[in-house]
Every structure is written in structure tokens, then in C-alpha cells.
């Protein structure tokens, strides 16, 4: 079978599957093909979709490959289902960020960093399958330890956790303080008048 037909087969499988497929999973489905040929087909498809500037792209996400609509078309695609994008509260975003960057982490550690009780937020994130329980910490009380899930990677379009922005990249997104270079204004000393009586 030609490389062209292999790409077509891989594209068909990715099209009908609603979750990212790993190279291992594809290799188990397509046993008659070499793993190197599958990887080459995937790389060629990624390049072809990108060069063609089509409405969909083949992207690596959550350790696998998935056909997705272009992110810049998200507003238009949402009209199809009249849905709004996923919204998170400030506390949910803070908690997700802490877990993503510090995992594995206990609830007590998250609460220490946030400075507030995070039990309800963490429960909600577990129910949405964005966090997962990774085990128990080997300390007295054996608290649960948490990490992000595959669904977290899928939702944020990340291949793996190494794609999370660094602190330097985050700081570059924050606009500079317009008052940072402004000199402090001198304060006049005011003499207090004595209180009557």
C-alpha cells in the first residue's frame, strides 16, 4: 500500500474518533503498517493541513493526534451549537494553574498557596475531569495528591505539560505598569493643631 493511501487511512480514523489517538493506539489499529511509516504519515498530514490553510488542522494534543477546527474560527464554530466557550471562575483558574505547575500536590498545599479553602473548587474540577487523584502522599494522614488530567490537556490544546507557558512568557503578556517610572510626589508636612480642652 502506498504512503498516500496510508495518509488517507490515518485521516479517516482520526476524523471519526472524537478523542486524540496516540501513535501506539494507531499502531495497534493498523498492525500491517510500520510505526515509522505511521509517524511519517502523521507528520505529512500535519504539514499539509497547515500549508493548505483549511478550516481544520491536525494537532498533537494530550499525547495524541486529533483533527480540530482552527482556534481562530472558534467564535464561528460556537454559533453552530449556540454555546459559549468554557468559562472558569477566578478561583478555578487559580487552582488549575497551581495544580498544573506544582503537581503532584495536595489540597493543603493548594490552599496554602491560594490562602483560602479550595475544597469546593477542587471537587468541581474533579467532577469536570480536569483534575485527577494521583495517589496518596506518604506522610501522616496520607492526604490525596492531585494532578491535571488528559481532559485538561485536551481542553487547553496542549500536547503535554511542557507546553505550559513559562513564568517569563506569562510576564511578557502582562502590560507594563504605566506609573512604574513616575517619580514619587513629595508630601508636604502638615502641622497638627492641638486638640481643644
Amino acid at each position: 500500500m502506498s504512503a498516500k493511501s496510508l495518509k488517507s487511512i490515518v485521516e479517516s480514523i482520526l476524523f471519526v474518533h472524537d478523542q486524540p489517538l496516540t501513535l501506539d493506539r494507531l499502531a495497534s489499529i493498523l498492525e500491517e503498517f510500520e510505526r515509522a511509516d505511521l509517524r511519517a504519515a502523521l507528520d505529512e498530514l500535519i504539514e499539509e493541513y497547515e500549508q493548505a490553510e483549511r478550516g481544520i488542522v491536525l494537532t498533537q494534543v494530550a499525547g495524541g493526534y486529533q483533527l480540530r477546527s482552527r482556534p481562530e474560527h472558534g467564535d464561528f464554530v460556537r454559533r453552530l451549537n449556540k454555546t459559549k466557550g468554557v468559562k472558569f471562575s477566578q478561583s478555578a483558574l487559580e487552582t488549575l494553574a497551581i495544580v498544573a505547575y506544582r503537581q503532584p500536590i495536595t489540597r493543603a498545599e493548594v490552599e496554602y498557596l491560594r490562602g483560602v479553602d479550595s475544597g469546593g473548587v477542587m471537587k468541581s474540577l474533579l467532577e469536570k475531569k480536569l483534575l485527577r487523584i494521583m495517589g496518596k502522599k506518604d506522610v501522616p494522614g496520607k492526604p490525596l495528591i492531585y494532578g491535571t488530567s488528559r481532559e485538561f490537556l485536551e481542553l487547553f490544546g496542549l500536547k503535554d505539560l511542557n507546553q505550559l507557558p513559562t513564568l517569563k512568557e506569562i510576564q511578557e503578556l502582562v502590560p507594563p505598569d504605566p506609573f512604574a517610572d513616575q517619580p514619587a510626589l513629595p508630601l508636604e508636612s502638615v502641622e497638627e493643631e492641638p486638640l481643644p480642652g
Side-chain angles (χ1 to χ4, degrees):
M1 213 174 266
S2 71
K4 187 174 181 177
S5 60
L6 175 57
K7 283 193 309 189
S8 179
I9 292 166
V10 168
E11 186 177 38
S12 296
I13 291 170
L14 291 170
F15 178 75
V16 298
H17 202 278
D18 63 346
Q19 294 180 350
L21 283 172
T22 64
L23 183 59
D24 290 338
R25 180 75 174 113
L26 278 170
S28 71
I29 295 167
L30 303 171
E31 297 171 338
E32 58 269 56
F33 297 99
E34 295 294 322
R35 188 180 177 87
D37 293 335
L38 287 170
R39 184 180 298 279
L42 287 163
D43 290 342
E44 286 178 34
L45 282 168
I46 289 171
E47 186 66 27
E48 287 174 15
Y49 275 106
E50 195 56 45
Q51 286 181 356
E53 295 185 25
R54 300 178 102 159
I56 56 174
V57 292
L58 177 57
T59 185
Q60 283 186 275
V61 62
Y65 296 84
Q66 187 175 36
L67 288 170
R68 293 181 152 208
S69 61
R70 285 192 178 273
E72 59 268 27
H73 300 161
D75 289 339
F76 302 106
V77 173
R78 276 189 286 280
R79 292 178 190 174
L80 175 67
N81 296 323
K82 302 253 191 252
T83 60
K84 294 183 180 178
V86 178
K87 291 190 179 183
F88 293 100
S89 66
Q90 184 71 29
S91 58
L93 285 174
E94 288 173 4
T95 303
L96 269 176
I98 290 168
V99 175
Y101 282 97
R102 301 291 293 263
Q103 62 186 309
I105 189 168
T106 65
R107 176 179 156 189
E109 292 165 332
V110 170
E111 290 174 348
Y112 173 78
L113 291 169
R114 287 194 63 225
V116 296
D117 177 57
S118 300
V121 174
M122 292 184 76
K123 181 180 179 206
S124 172
L125 293 170
L126 280 166
E127 289 170 355
K128 291 177 182 168
K129 297 185 179 174
L130 297 174
L131 294 184
R132 64 186 175 99
I133 297 171
M134 299 176 71
K136 293 184 178 188
K137 193 167 186 172
D138 193 18
V139 295
K142 304 253 188 229
L144 296 173
I145 51 176
Y146 299 89
T148 54
S149 65
R150 182 180 172 127
E151 287 84 352
F152 169 84
L153 295 174
E154 285 182 41
L155 179 68
F156 290 99
L158 302 170
K159 177 181 171 185
D160 55 39
L161 291 173
N162 292 329
Q163 287 193 311
L164 285 171
T166 63
L167 182 58
K168 183 179 179 184
E169 291 169 332
I170 292 170
Q171 288 172 336
E172 290 171 359
L173 294 174
V174 177
D177 182 0
F179 303 108
D181 296 332
Q182 187 176 12
L185 297 175
L187 296 176
E188 295 179 23
S189 61
V190 178
E191 291 183 27
E192 291 186 22
E193 293 183 21
L195 292 173

